[in-house]
Amino acid sequence: MGTEPLPPGQRTVKGWPVSHYGPVPGFRAARWNLQVFGATATGATYSWTLEEVVALPMTTITTDLHCASGTTTRGHEFFRVAAATMLDLAPPSPKVTHVMAWAEYGYSANLRLADFASDRTLIATHHNGDLLTAEHGFPLRLVVPHLYGYKGPKWLRGIEYMTQDRRGFWEKRGYHNTADPWAEQRHSYQEAD
Ligand SMILES: Nc1nc2c(c(=O)[nH]1)N[C@H]1C(S)=C(S)[C@@H](COP(=O)(O)O)O[C@H]1N2
Ligand SMILES: [Mo]
């Protein structure tokens, strides 16, 4: 731990504090699915049950998590499906430039397609070998290692393919649209330059 460089303006905190807006959603397998919709290549909407998600090809990444409020937690190992695998299984139309990642209760985060397609972007079921806890996003969470934490919805339920950009939950509330921690892109007022 502590071997990765720390983005500017971040301080490390021990353990893995929980931080999100609103309540922790419940989970009922029979009512749960993960959907890919919007501008798919065929126009079809794709849907997976959790059983189907866990049967997809698997991969592992290790990353630090950087919250835009200034805290970084170190050395998280996440496990399950590469976002790039979802793009293969549910191909986007060539016009797609951005995706919206949707969570329970309408939380959303917009991403450039290239950020979603990055080889380290992962849709996780497990953290450090254990199932995600409810507070950290069970059953599924998006992890985008190279962006601030708000770009990674916990309780992920949908991926919307978009042919133009649209701001997500925090992006509409004063947070930066791109969220690169290495450039300290925390606030929307920084976007002008
Ligand atoms: N659904 C949902 N996902 C979310 C959030 C949220 O409010 N709702 N907050 C984000 C923010 S700002 C951060 S820093 C991380 C925190 O994840 P953690 O609680 O597992 O540390 O979750 C992200 N994912
Ligand atoms: Mo955050």
Side-chain angles (χ1 to χ4, degrees):
M1 303 245 284
T3 52
E4 298 275 312
L6 196 62
Q10 295 295 109
R11 65 182 189 283
T12 54
V13 296
K14 291 216 156 54
W16 197 16
V18 172
S19 110
H20 55 264
Y21 177 83
V24 173
F27 170 75
R28 287 181 297 276
R31 294 195 45 195
W32 188 96
N33 59 8
L34 175 70
Q35 294 209 329
V36 177
F37 62 100
T40 60
T42 62
T45 291
Y46 298 77
S47 179
W48 291 267
T49 64
L50 191 55
E51 259 182 26
E52 290 166 340
V53 169
V54 302
L56 298 176
M58 293 170 270
T59 186
T60 299
I61 59 156
T62 301
T63 185
D64 298 341
L65 291 179
H66 312 297
C67 176
S69 69
T71 56
T72 290
T73 54
R74 296 289 206 177
H76 302 272
E77 186 188 272
F78 288 103
F79 162 79
R80 192 51 76 185
V81 195
T85 300
M86 305 308 292
L87 290 168
D88 291 341
L89 296 170
S93 146
K95 292 186 187 144
V96 170
T97 56
H98 294 78
V99 312
M100 190 75 80
W102 288 99
E104 301 285 359
Y105 299 141
Y107 183 89
S108 60
N110 57 314
L111 295 159
R112 298 177 295 195
L113 180 60
D115 289 324
F116 184 73
S118 155
D119 62 1
R120 287 181 27 91
T121 299
L122 187 85
I123 295 172
T125 57
H126 284 67
H127 173 265
N128 292 356
D130 294 321
L131 271 182
L132 285 168
T133 60
E135 293 75 16
H136 286 299
F138 176 85
L140 210 61
R141 117 180 242 167
L142 184 64
V143 181
V144 188
H146 64 288
L147 299 179
Y148 283 125
Y150 61 91
K151 292 296 188 178
K154 306 192 275 193
W155 315 295
L156 183 74
R157 289 293 305 276
I159 301 295
E160 178 185 358
Y161 293 158
M162 305 195 294
T163 55
Q164 56 182 36
D165 199 9
R166 215 167 72 225
R167 302 179 82 94
F169 182 87
W170 287 120
E171 295 83 359
K172 280 187 199 162
R173 291 168 174 78
Y175 284 80
H176 198 284
N177 198 43
T178 309
D180 177 0
W182 304 98
E184 281 209 79
Q185 295 176 334
R186 299 179 200 269
H187 311 288
S188 55
Y189 63 70
Q190 299 172 285
E191 288 170 25
D193 49 275

